[in-house]
Amino acid sequence: MASDNRRQFWKRNTKVPGSIQQVYGAQHPPFDPRLHKNLLKEGSKMYAQSKSKRASSFHEFAKSTSDAWDIGDDEEEEFMSFASQSLNSKVAMATAAQVIQNHNKLKEYPGEKMQQSDSIDEAKTNGKMVKSNSEVQLSKSSEELRKYSWSGVPREVRSVTWRLLSGYLPANMERREITLQRKREEYFGFIEQYYDSRNEEHHQDTYRQIHIDIPRTNPLIPLFQQPSVQEIFERILFIWAIRHPASGYVQGINDLVTPFFVVFLSEHVEQDVENFDVTNLSEAVQQSIEADSFWCMSKLLDGIQDNYTFAQPGIQKKVKALEELISRIDEQVHVHFRKYEVEYLQFAFRWMNNLLMRELPLRCTIRLWDTYQSEPEGFSHFHLYVCAAFLIKWRKEILEEDDFQGLLMLLQNLPTIHWGNEEIGLLLAEAYRLKYTFADAPNHYRR
């Protein structure tokens, strides 16, 4: 009987809120028989729930962010991972201020901090290659930048910090301006060379789907309904798609542009960006925002491209991993899903495809990405633990639902509209705890 009700539900609700329709280059959701095996039952449950706060505008939320951060030099090399620390804001801000002061002294009085030979990136000492003082200082700055960004980046410096953490902006300050100029010119070279091909037959399906999806991107935020902004998104997505033929354009990638666009726009806008008219900016500024959004989104997708290749194997693996992880950390929730025949793929596919962007307000996504960019493999590996923490956050509501339809409607319409910095902070703390708990267990997904 439960199976009949389930089939009838899907017939009546072919467009369940948040469902992802099949598009060019995508499968929704790609069926994998391995995802439907019976799971073993064992684990423990744990989560500290938080209270909802009043909704605030994106501008108010961004202004309230005052966690520790470091505006110093960054570098493109490997960064150290974040270590669990006390989030005493006064101590953290004092430490960050000292870091900035040290960096400024280095820039103003380099002769007092290093000898002339230290200007060489590497030198031979006793037959061994050693790092110069300047390189060591940059490395320390990089580590501290990631460490403080984990806890949130203030609006005023977020654009620079994200460029650095994305690996788009070089560590060396002398190279930054010329690098940005070169990369922006390269992007608009792609536009000049390829954008007209959107009307060619072999690209028509790609462009048509992009053109359909753009108006659906954050439909309740006026900023994204402006024709000039939609044209920017169309160019970014089309150029990315034709430069990545292994995946092409997949529905959901359009969402991944929005955080970068808002952050880089905020660099030039003091008021609430959600209602700002982009045509008030100069053409040069609009172009810089567009190019930087393209390159940073590309950097992100480079690490999760298997989410969007044929049959989307990356998402299938992540959903399977989430299922097995939940079976260990909260057996009751897992058994409840099995009892009412709820498959993880039916709700978690979107969580992986859109990186929880459809589940959270934009202000929360941006705060979440502060941490994702500072965490090694944040958008792939750490995101799994965030999804696990996010699911268990709603365990009480999940266990109160006693039918398939009620569970699906809950999981695809979770009440996060009032979420803010506090809720995201608790979510990230729990995700970090889960990651740390299983860090030394290579087979922690399995029994």
Side-chain angles (χ1 to χ4, degrees), residues 152-412:
V153 182
R155 179 184 190 270
E156 293 76 10
V157 294
R158 184 174 272 128
S159 58
V160 173
T161 303
W162 277 27
R163 290 187 187 101
L164 289 166
L165 294 178
S166 295
Y168 172 54
L169 196 63
N172 190 322
M173 292 191 68
E174 295 178 355
R175 290 172 45 216
R176 290 180 186 175
E177 185 175 351
I178 190 170
T179 298
L180 285 178
Q181 181 180 353
R182 176 176 58 82
K183 296 298 288 183
R184 289 166 180 171
E185 289 176 354
E186 184 179 358
Y187 168 72
F188 283 100
F190 294 151
I191 296 293
E192 184 176 354
Q193 184 175 0
Y194 299 116
Y195 193 57
D196 286 343
S197 68
R198 67 188 185 280
N199 297 316
E200 297 177 4
E201 184 176 356
H202 58 292
H203 287 153
Q204 280 184 355
D205 288 343
T206 298
Y207 181 71
R208 184 182 301 112
Q209 188 60 55
I210 291 173
H211 191 74
I212 291 172
D213 289 345
I214 294 301
R216 300 173 180 171
T217 305
N218 294 298
L220 301 180
I221 299 178
L223 172 68
F224 299 106
Q225 302 310 307
Q226 298 175 30
S228 58
V229 173
Q230 293 185 356
E231 289 172 5
I232 288 173
F233 275 52
E234 285 182 4
R235 287 193 293 269
I236 289 174
L237 294 170
F238 181 77
I239 295 301
W240 188 88
I242 64 174
R243 295 186 74 245
H244 296 81
S247 60
Y249 173 73
V250 177
Q251 190 178 27
I253 294 179
N254 54 306
D255 289 324
L256 305 185
V257 184
T258 57
F260 292 114
F261 183 82
V262 168
V263 166
F264 297 144
L265 175 62
S266 299
E267 188 175 22
H268 305 279
V269 179
E270 293 186 1
Q271 62 265 43
D272 189 349
V273 296
E274 294 184 359
N275 296 289
F276 181 76
D277 185 354
V278 172
T279 59
N280 290 331
L281 297 174
S282 68
E283 184 178 356
V285 169
Q286 292 183 50
Q287 289 182 344
S288 68
I289 294 171
E290 177 177 347
D292 292 357
S293 298
F294 170 81
W295 287 116
C296 288
M297 183 198 74
S298 297
K299 291 278 188 178
L300 185 164
L301 287 171
D302 284 347
I304 57 172
Q305 194 171 351
D306 63 344
N307 283 7
Y308 305 104
T309 53
F310 179 74
Q312 298 179 264
I315 291 179
Q316 294 193 49
K317 292 176 183 176
K318 290 181 178 70
V319 171
K320 180 62 175 177
L322 176 66
E323 183 175 7
E324 294 180 341
L325 186 57
I326 295 298
S327 73
R328 294 182 67 92
I329 65 178
D330 199 320
E331 179 186 15
Q332 191 175 3
V333 168
H334 177 67
V335 170
H336 194 69
F337 284 155
R338 293 186 62 188
K339 178 180 179 181
Y340 294 105
E341 301 182 12
V342 172
E343 302 289 351
Y344 285 74
L345 200 62
Q346 291 163 340
F347 62 88
F349 179 87
R350 187 173 76 181
W351 295 9
M352 303 301 178
N353 191 66
N354 301 89
L355 299 177
L356 288 176
M357 288 191 62
R358 299 285 179 90
E359 325 310 318
L360 300 171
L362 181 57
R363 61 182 180 273
C364 293
T365 294
I366 289 174
R367 167 62 191 90
L368 189 67
W369 284 24
D370 287 341
T371 298
Y372 278 6
Q373 295 199 84
S374 63
E375 180 76 19
E377 297 183 317
F379 291 98
S380 53
H381 185 64
F382 188 63
H383 178 66
L384 169 66
Y385 296 98
V386 172
C387 288
F390 185 66
L391 180 61
I392 300 306
K393 164 69 180 71
W394 308 102
R395 71 179 314 276
K396 179 177 179 293
E397 292 83 351
I398 288 170
L399 295 176
E400 287 175 351
E401 295 291 341
D402 57 2
D403 63 76
F404 174 82
Q405 179 175 343
L407 280 167
L408 260 294
M409 294 302 293
L410 168 67
L411 291 166
Q412 294 183 339

Side-chain angles (χ1 to χ4, degrees), residues 3-44:
S3 298
D4 292 337
N5 289 337
R6 178 180 166 189
R7 284 194 293 271
Q8 290 301 320
F9 170 74
W10 284 112
K11 288 179 180 178
R12 296 194 304 270
N13 298 272
T14 56
K15 293 186 178 180
V16 176
S19 63
I20 298 177
Q21 304 300 315
Q22 186 173 14
V23 300
Y24 175 81
Q27 307 287 323
H28 171 65
F31 179 77
D32 184 347
R34 293 172 296 179
L35 292 174
H36 303 281
K37 291 180 181 177
N38 291 328
L39 297 174
L40 300 171
K41 318 170 185 174
E42 180 176 282
S44 60

